[in-house]
Amino acid sequence: MSDCIFCKIAAHEIPSTCAYEDDQIYAFHDLDPQAPVHVLIIPKKHIASLDEAQAGDAQLLAHMMLMVKEIAASLGLEKGYRVVINTGEDGGQTVPHLHMHLLGKRSLNWPPG
Ligand code: AMP
Ligand code: ZN
């Protein structure tokens, strides 16, 4: 999607600090980190939110989920981590391109705000 900031980041049209990349997904460090490690994992395909995902995206979503542990290991998150998908207005989503937050390297509170 031409005016989507995360599509542009995935296409390397806007700079970011890469944590992982393959043909389907891109992971990069959040500009405003909420933990010592805060990475965003996005599909290269534009999907506006989890609410917009379709059955045909199942393999892509599974790939994103299964790569989390690899990315977490590469970032030294052996003590654990949290994965968050903010969805829609009440979910606190501010960028309308599906992304998973991977947070770690500190003890995280529950429940979230
Ligand atoms: P959300 O509020 O769940 O939609 O998360 C959007 C996240 O994207 C926030 O944590 C922002 O700090 C982050 N963000 C926005 N623009 C950029 C950018 N250009 N590079 C890295 N992270 C970004
Ligand atoms: Zn996009």
Side-chain angles (χ1 to χ4, degrees):
M1 201 178 146
S2 59
D3 63 347
C4 170
I5 184 173
F6 283 3
C7 281
K8 288 180 178 168
I9 286 174
H12 301 283
E13 293 167 13
I14 291 176
S16 64
T17 304
C18 180
Y20 174 78
E21 180 171 20
D22 64 28
D23 59 330
Q24 297 184 80
I25 66 174
Y26 185 62
F28 57 104
H29 292 268
D30 198 292
L31 266 187
D32 182 21
Q34 303 301 310
V37 169
H38 186 173
V39 163
L40 302 174
I41 303 165
I42 65 173
K44 290 189 171 178
K45 173 186 173 182
H46 181 83
I47 300 171
S49 78
L50 190 60
D51 209 45
E52 301 293 323
Q54 305 293 320
D57 298 317
Q59 186 279 332
L60 174 58
L61 296 176
H63 179 60
M64 288 175 68
M65 293 291 284
L66 290 168
M67 285 312 298
V68 167
K69 66 177 187 283
E70 311 291 347
I71 297 168
S74 77
L75 295 167
L77 303 184
E78 61 282 333
K79 286 182 72 181
Y81 50 84
R82 184 172 294 166
V83 175
V84 174
I85 305 178
N86 295 330
T87 304
E89 187 181 347
D90 276 1
Q93 183 177 6
T94 60
V95 177
H97 179 127
L98 175 63
H99 50 282
M100 299 194 309
H101 296 258
L102 170 60
L103 300 145
K105 283 281 180 197
R106 73 169 169 87
S107 183
L108 296 159
N109 299 324
W110 192 263

